[in-house]
Amino acid sequence: MLPLVQTHQMVQPSSHFDATLPFRHRYSYHAQHPHPPKHGPLSSHRAFPIRATQPPLSLAPHLQHPDGREYSLRRKTPNGTIDAGYDGTPAQLASGPPPLKHMILPGAGNLPSASDYEYTVAGPVSWPPRAPGSGDYAEPRAFNNSDNHPMAPGAGWQYRMDHGPPPPGLALDCAPNAPSAAYYPYTNGLRVPTVAQPTYQQSPGPAIFNNGGLAPLPLWPDMNAQYIEPTAYGVPSIQSMNRQSLHSSIPFAASAQREHRLDVSHMNLQAPAQRLESLSLESERYDLAESQIPDKSSPSRFREKALANAHRAYIDLLAFLHSSKKTGSGRSSNGSRSSSKMVIFPKLPNPPKQTASAPGLHHRGSSHNGYSSSTGFSVPPYSYASHAHVGMSEMLPVSHDPRLHGAGGVGDVTNTAFYHLFNEGSRYAAPEPPRPMVAHTPVSSAKAASEMLHHLCEQSGWKWVDGMLLGGCLHYGLERYEQALEWFSRITTIDGSHVEALSNVAATLYCLQRNDEAERYWMLAVKLKPSYLDAVEHLVGLLCSNQRSKEAVDIISFVQNSLRLQASSKNAVSGPPLTSAGHGLSYSSSGGSLFAASNRVQNHAFEDNPAHLDQPGYGSSGYDVAGTENGRMIALIHAKGNMLYALKDIDHASEAFEEAVLISAGGGVTCVQALISRIRSVLAPPNTYNLFGSDNQAGSAGPLLLPPEKARHTAQLVFANNGELPGLRFVPAGAPRKSAISTMSNSLLSLAKIFQDGMSNGGSALGLLQQPPGVGDILALYYLSLSLSESPSTANNVGILLASVQQSSVLQALPAADSSSNSSIPGIQPGSGLDLALAYYKYGLSLDPKHVHLHTNLGSLLKDIGQLDLAIQMYEQAVACDGTFDIALTNLANAVKDRGRINDAVIYYKRAVKSNPHFAEAVCGLSTALNSVCDWRDRGGVILHGTKYDRWHVDEGGMLRDARHHPTGFGLISRVVEIVAKQLADSSHWGVGILQGSSLRSVVAQLKAAGADQTDRGLNLEVECRKWAGRPWEGSRLLRLVERSVKAATRLWYRDKYILGRPSRTGYPRPRLPASLAVPSAPTVLPFHTFTCPLTAKDIRMISQRNAHRISCSTLRSPWLPNSVYPPPPPPRPHLNIGYVSSDFNNHPLAHLMQSVFGMHSPSRAKAFCYATTASDKSSHREQIEREAPVFRDVSSWSTERLVDQIVKDEIHILVNLNGYTRGARNEIFAARPAPIQMSFMGFAGTLGAEWCDYLLADETAVPPSTLRPVRSNVSLEDVFQDERSADDEDWMYSENIIFCRDTFFCCDHAQSSGPEERHITWHEEQLRRWKMRKELFPNLPDDAIILGNFNQLYKIDPSTFRSWLRILSDVPKARLWLLRFPELGENNLRRTARQWASQDVADRIIFTDVAPKQLHISRARVCDLFLDTPECNAHTTAADVLWSSTPLLTLSRYPYKMCSRMAASILKGALPRGSAGLMAAEELISEDEDDYEAKAVRLAGSLSYDVTNGQFGIGHGRLAELRRMLFCAKWTCALFDTRRWVRDLESAYEEAWRRWVDGEGGDIYL
């Protein structure tokens, strides 16, 4: 949501000895060695790997980024933004829009680029102890998005603000789980972590709740990342990068760190990800009889011996370079840093077959402490500690030969970088033992060896290919790149098809910064031999580094097609001809392009050596390679999936990930669906416990909810041999197999993440499954991924998924043994989805205590269950881990704002915006927070309806600017409006293309089955739907049609059963949404925030509609919805059952206004059922409602399913929504349509834009008829087709039918809640107590002072309004402006603004007081002489309070289409007496525009004067005093305070609405 931007320390491999330690065993090591490893400095040089046999490339994980696809709905209220949860699947996730939670992720449509982030080094990392053997092996952990990136301790992300803004959207946590480069052997060959390696192991990004937090999208270094420079360990460098010279440090094993020795007998090392290529070594070892060996004195024997000694010198050079890396950054021989870009260690050449070798070259193993040979010589171990600073590059080529077992030892080292050098049989004679008195350094030995090879090659006339190849490797290792290029080029001159030499030429050219030439040579090598994977890997890495991922994907596809066995050719991947773009070089031959071989075997190794068919596991991957190479193929395919995901080709990315999974799982698994079924079958014993009776609409078994400790054993249950993956059994044990297993885990994680996104946002990659995935399917993949490679990212994603799972009322929770023991936290039911989500978050943090996404998502979970203080603590920990993580900062800002810490919230919002200027949630949150405290500096403004609205803009200095003179928008509010415009424009594409083929036919069939043929005879549904197909808003229109069908089917059922007496035998099936229709995202600016945001009518209604669509789509996918519509209630007997749903039946303004209503209903007309969705606060208001309501149900702990079922059982005829889009709303209840008629009033002053709201209660002042949608029927399906024709019109606001009340629609209970003595107060007594209170509140105020006041929250004040108030104060010198510190921070801002815009005198006449308790607030409102209303968003409850105190109220209905800006006029009219006097007063107090507002205020205030009688009280004179007396005399007879009158009118509205529903009539109701 979301977004790895961290500068915190992460649990990751040490640059010295963690490369080969699995993650869990790293803890056991530190349990014995309490001192954490120290991180070697990252070099600013860049290296590119080259190798010397053909071992697989070490693929560094690519960068991860936040993706905004996160369906992070935030419920934004006056008091803050509530985090929402990940939407999850339609079947198992919460039906309503979840609370903004677990980080935010945008969809594939707006993925951020890798260029937006870079890594920085932080302080030391904490290494918590872990019990030995406490868990399975896993790759080293690095950072929270790609847990396996081999980073130095303390490395993290830092947002690159100086390199341009990121694209909108973000992701939460890195779904992929890439193993470190130093931990990625694909064969048993050598690997050394490099800088420029392709980030193969990253999987796609995550989800956004923050709503959320899945992992950010992993990107290759080239994915539009112009500013990313890959560095050591596959992460961007923290330094100013010199892309020509970047070096990496080589992790060493613990023993190597202590003794600085290489162990040739037990090496399990890893080669560089990219390396200089050399000759392939034959797999067979030499075991020749003595008779076969030529005379030792022969030139041939001398050459072999020289080659063997050169080989040893090369090995020593590598060992020295690795050792010296530990003690300091290497330098070249001239003392300056090397310009090498690569970590390349060429391998040794093959000697001619049957050529004499050393006598008795039998593989006998090796000594642990020194060189060992068949001759019995033992060489003492060599220490390199003293040569730490010898002038060599930090990153050099490695000899990579998978057949060098028993080559000899050089100390105790288990680094995988030397795996192939020492763990495999060598065919070279052991060197003679060194002479005792001669001391050599590895560098000098390498130089001497190269000179010897030079002489021998010259003697051969430069025809000795093996010598030239090894000599070139030595020159490369010595950083003599020009000489190396010359030697390798000599080989290609002799043999232009020598692919190893071609690849080494390319690598050397790359080091010389001749990238274009390097690309051509690698391309040629791939053309000549697609099976030579080293060249493939280098070429792919080079293309990625140049932002050419599409071409890299084509290369991998070409190799797949070339190597795919004929039995698998049906899966061939198409691609363009293989060319080197931009160089005029095409590698298509006369026989056609390279891709012409896509459907046949084209493996040059096969042509040259058919014996490879006998290699172990040949063809087990479906490709013409040995089983030992399966890991490399999986890595390439997985990398392809990552790049396709970054390119937003989700479907093909999913296919790639699936193929990687299937290769690993072996031939017995044919598709991912089969694998899921196997996992679920072995994990779900008989009578297993579920949270659902069905996982999805197809009715599959429900999801098995496993705690982490059980999920970790999934692989052992699914696969035989203690969880061994069948497809990887031929991959050499040790690091190569671990790497391949990690890749399998990452592919599973990626698939699960894609399915998770597709479940909530619509359908990419769903074609891999036979039916839409459910939570159980996705959990199965996560469980297996976690069991293969324990990862905090996986734990994070599982937590997000489980947090959205609802506890079913009909199924039991988990057994106590499987509970996560979180029962002590209020709001979490043991064994529930929340309980297990919390367990996974904790488990993930045990793996990586600095995982920023886990901290953030755990905070969101706690916030959702009401534990705000605990949530703030978790958000603060997340920010401590990464002070630039925009999602954590934004969620923390939201949380502290809810706690009332506005100043802190503003600070955190600003930090979030600074970190990511395009993060919509942060930008909009900052705007809202600053507006709430009237800090308008750089607010700017917009041009709205010319300059009629929002005319006065504010510049960066806080000064006003007249839009009529500067007619352009700018500033923060302009950015907010731009965000709204873009998001709404994007939303028009939601569901486009859904009404086609089988989906269209299915929809039409379901609508007809639901009764469309009876309710809409003559309507050709298919023809009408086709008119929508492929056009904007197609998804929205289809959703409305399905909802209208449910409503019509309910009425059809009622008529059949209760009027016609013949209910349908086939029932009344509920039409379903197409599985591929996404749950839409909601705009960042939510409906409540439109009250104070300058937007058009169309924008406001579309924001409401989009929120309604999200709620509807999510709810209609709920697993608990029955297959039929809910049964209608029987006819009234005699009364209607009216359900009132609210979260505000406590000490809340709504309860203050309506507390007597529920007991006032006439028993013969209506019976109130109150459903309280929040627990009791024990206030008098709650107690009165509970006491007087005929039926009161505390449903605060009920699930949506249970509450909806109860409403149906209560036979509710009309269900009333008293929340709307405000805090605590449970709108998913209404989206389920449990009652025939549903309406909304009192909670939200605006349109809901929802098909699940039939009526709004209003009057013609609050809702002018001109703002209604033209088509008003809202009954039949045909009406939907009719009214959608006006969907793009600009000027209408309300789609609901309106019940127009006779007087004001506003309900007020003041007459009932006031004391009985209030009725007997006389006007004289009122004047006395008013003056007395004035003196108590303002003892120093002059008697002739005029008090103008406003008691609204400060967020309702906008610059235009405050400007008008200052002008009024300037024109009325005796006037004072009384405001509330609501909040306190606003006082200083308003005083500063008053000084800037007016004068110090005017600023001094503004008085602030604290907010008072409710009754005191009402009482002291009478002290005010004139209440100045806020035109942008009027006073609502406050207006009623002020008018009850008899204080005149001056208002301006600024917008015709905003109910919130018109309510005060409606309330005022209700408080005035009926007749001409009341009408005249209304004209004086309701303004036409800002000028009229100011003029009326000045006139009324200027007319008021006070005469102080007997020094006791002042008697007012003038029109303002007359208006006050008018209001005082009318308050017991006016419409506003006559609650019983209001209830009678409401009952009449209910009865008329019911009659119309039964008769099938539509339209508005006028009482």
Side-chain angles (χ1 to χ4, degrees), residues 62-79:
H62 55 266
L63 307 181
Q64 313 257 330
H65 297 291
D67 174 11
R69 183 147 217 76
E70 200 35 58
Y71 293 104
S72 53
L73 174 60
R74 293 175 167 79
R75 296 198 297 272
K76 300 188 179 180
T77 71
N79 297 321

Side-chain angles (χ1 to χ4, degrees), residues 1311-1447:
Q1312 284 67 235
S1313 58
S1314 63
E1317 69 283 355
E1318 186 69 23
R1319 276 187 177 272
H1320 306 293
I1321 296 291
T1322 65
W1323 171 242
H1324 179 75
E1325 292 170 335
E1326 169 67 14
Q1327 289 179 296
L1328 283 174
R1329 68 177 181 178
R1330 177 174 178 270
W1331 192 261
K1332 178 182 178 181
M1333 184 170 288
R1334 170 176 165 141
K1335 287 300 183 181
E1336 291 173 352
L1337 280 173
F1338 307 111
N1340 299 321
L1341 199 66
D1343 290 342
D1344 63 346
I1346 310 301
I1347 301 177
L1348 310 176
N1350 182 280
F1351 309 138
N1352 288 330
Q1353 294 186 55
L1354 299 183
Y1355 79 87
K1356 293 187 176 183
I1357 304 174
D1358 68 302
S1360 295
T1361 298
F1362 195 61
R1363 172 185 175 274
S1364 293
W1365 290 353
L1366 296 178
R1367 287 165 60 85
I1368 293 168
L1369 286 177
S1370 297
D1371 290 345
V1372 184
K1374 296 187 297 181
R1376 305 292 189 275
L1377 179 61
W1378 178 17
L1379 303 175
L1380 300 182
R1381 299 185 182 98
F1382 202 3
E1384 295 181 8
L1385 191 60
E1387 178 178 354
N1388 291 334
N1389 291 326
L1390 287 174
R1391 289 192 185 280
R1392 180 191 65 247
T1393 302
R1395 290 191 293 270
Q1396 286 182 287
W1397 294 1
S1399 65
Q1400 185 65 49
D1401 171 68
V1402 171
D1404 291 342
R1405 285 190 279 135
I1406 302 176
I1407 303 171
F1408 285 88
T1409 62
D1410 293 330
V1411 179
K1414 178 67 176 181
Q1415 291 304 320
L1416 179 58
H1417 158 71
I1418 296 175
S1419 177
R1420 73 181 190 178
R1422 59 174 50 92
V1423 172
C1424 182
D1425 291 303
L1426 176 64
F1427 184 91
L1428 299 177
D1429 193 24
T1430 44
E1432 187 72 19
C1433 181
N1434 292 170
H1436 299 166
T1437 304
T1438 300
D1441 297 339
V1442 166
L1443 292 170
W1444 176 253
S1445 72
S1446 304
T1447 296

Side-chain angles (χ1 to χ4, degrees), residues 351-556:
K353 288 190 178 182
Q354 305 302 321
T355 296
S357 186
L361 186 58
H362 299 273
H363 175 59
R364 300 181 182 178
S366 56
S367 166
H368 182 72
N369 295 319
Y371 296 120
S372 173
S373 71
S374 59
T375 61
F377 291 111
S378 179
V379 182
Y382 183 85
S383 173
Y384 301 113
S386 61
H387 302 285
H389 299 284
V390 174
M392 293 303 301
S393 167
E394 296 162 299
M395 304 292 288
L396 287 178
V398 241
S399 176
H400 193 107
D401 181 5
R403 287 154 291 278
L404 293 178
H405 290 294
V410 272
D412 295 330
V413 170
T414 57
N415 193 318
T416 56
F418 301 94
Y419 187 90
H420 76 286
L421 292 179
F422 308 112
N423 251 15
E424 318 208 7
S426 173
R427 51 186 172 48
Y428 291 105
E432 294 183 0
R435 299 181 182 181
M437 302 304 296
V438 180
H440 296 283
T441 67
V443 174
S444 62
S445 296
K447 290 180 179 179
S450 67
E451 292 173 4
M452 176 60 68
L453 291 178
H454 181 88
H455 293 309
L456 294 174
C457 288
E458 278 189 332
Q459 292 176 8
S460 71
W462 293 100
K463 302 297 183 182
W464 185 30
V465 173
D466 284 2
M468 289 188 287
L469 198 56
L470 180 54
C473 292
L474 285 167
H475 282 299
Y476 186 95
L478 293 169
E479 295 191 350
R480 301 168 175 175
Y481 298 121
E482 295 290 351
Q483 292 96 318
L485 179 61
E486 179 184 355
W487 283 54
F488 293 140
S489 297
R490 289 179 183 271
I491 301 173
T492 61
T493 301
I494 297 172
D495 180 2
S497 63
H498 196 296
V499 293
E500 290 86 354
L502 289 171
S503 187
N504 284 357
V505 167
T508 310
L509 289 168
Y510 182 86
C511 281
L512 293 171
Q513 306 176 33
R514 294 158 64 179
N515 290 7
D516 292 346
E517 296 173 80
E519 178 184 337
R520 295 172 60 189
Y521 274 94
W522 270 319
M523 190 80 76
L524 181 57
V526 172
K527 172 202 170 183
L528 292 171
K529 191 174 182 180
S531 62
Y532 193 64
L533 299 184
D534 300 89
V536 176
E537 292 160 348
H538 299 332
L539 178 58
V540 167
L542 179 61
L543 292 173
C544 288
S545 67
N546 292 325
Q547 291 79 47
R548 295 161 61 188
S549 287
K550 180 61 173 65
E551 295 174 63
V553 168
D554 291 339
I555 294 295
I556 298 175

Side-chain angles (χ1 to χ4, degrees), residues 696-913:
N696 50 39
Q697 295 172 12
S700 62
L704 181 65
L705 304 188
L706 298 179
E709 57 272 17
K710 290 193 174 182
R712 288 175 48 232
H713 301 291
T714 301
Q716 298 175 17
L717 299 174
V718 174
F719 299 106
N721 299 326
N722 198 32
E724 180 184 57
L725 294 174
L728 303 180
R729 65 184 180 277
F730 298 107
V731 176
R737 187 175 298 174
K738 293 174 186 175
S739 175
I741 291 172
S742 179
T743 305
M744 161 72 157
S745 176
N746 291 333
S747 293
L748 287 165
L749 182 59
S750 301
L751 276 178
K753 178 62 193 64
I754 289 173
F755 291 156
Q756 192 170 355
D757 286 340
M759 205 172 45
S760 62
N761 58 44
S764 280
L766 300 185
L768 295 182
L769 302 180
Q770 298 171 1
Q771 59 190 23
V775 167
D777 298 327
I778 298 171
L779 285 176
L781 296 176
Y782 277 138
Y783 292 155
L784 182 57
S785 174
L786 191 68
S787 66
L788 292 172
S789 178
E790 292 185 279
S791 158
S793 291
T794 305
N796 179 69
N797 293 4
V798 174
I800 291 175
L801 189 60
L802 291 173
S804 300
V805 171
Q806 296 185 32
Q807 177 70 37
S808 174
S809 61
V810 298
L811 295 169
Q812 297 180 352
L814 295 175
D818 291 336
S819 174
S820 62
S821 302
N822 297 310
S823 56
S824 60
I825 300 180
I828 294 185
Q829 178 180 352
S832 65
L834 284 177
D835 184 46
L836 283 177
L838 186 57
Y840 275 92
Y841 289 146
K842 290 181 177 179
Y843 163 69
L845 288 172
S846 73
L847 298 177
D848 184 355
K850 298 294 186 178
H851 198 288
V852 65
H853 294 286
L854 286 165
H855 284 299
T856 303
N857 293 339
L858 180 53
S860 296
L861 184 152
L862 293 168
K863 190 169 185 285
D864 290 344
I865 63 174
Q867 300 298 319
L868 184 59
D869 292 330
L870 290 177
I872 290 174
Q873 292 177 24
M874 295 309 301
Y875 291 143
E876 287 173 340
Q877 290 188 42
V879 171
C881 292
D882 183 353
T884 62
F885 185 28
D886 47 5
I887 293 174
L889 288 165
T890 301
N891 278 354
L892 178 56
N894 292 336
V896 298
K897 185 169 70 171
D898 287 353
R899 184 53 74 204
R901 294 160 50 190
I902 303 297
N903 192 36
D904 290 340
V906 169
I907 293 172
Y908 289 128
Y909 282 130
K910 286 183 176 180
R911 287 177 59 184
V913 172

Side-chain angles (χ1 to χ4, degrees), residues 589-622:
S589 63
S590 58
S593 75
L594 287 180
F595 287 93
S598 62
N599 290 318
R600 62 182 179 86
V601 175
Q602 179 182 329
N603 187 302
H604 291 264
F606 171 75
E607 297 167 4
D608 298 337
N609 182 20
H612 81 290
L613 293 173
D614 296 329
Q615 293 177 351
Y618 168 75
S620 59
S621 64

Side-chain angles (χ1 to χ4, degrees), residues 14 69 129 240 337 466 499 644 737 774 810 835 1136 1261 1463 1468 1514 1547:
S14 161
R69 183 147 217 76
S240 174
R337 287 195 179 275
D466 284 2
V499 293
L644 287 168
R737 187 175 298 174
V810 298
D835 184 46
L1136 290 164
T1261 299
M1463 284 185 61
L1468 174 62
E1547 289 170 345

Side-chain angles (χ1 to χ4, degrees), residues 1105-1123:
Q1105 288 170 351
R1106 192 66 175 173
N1107 279 271
H1109 294 160
R1110 178 184 177 86
I1111 294 166
S1112 295
C1113 196
S1114 179
T1115 303
L1116 295 180
R1117 293 181 180 279
S1118 298
W1120 44 264
L1121 277 179
N1123 290 327

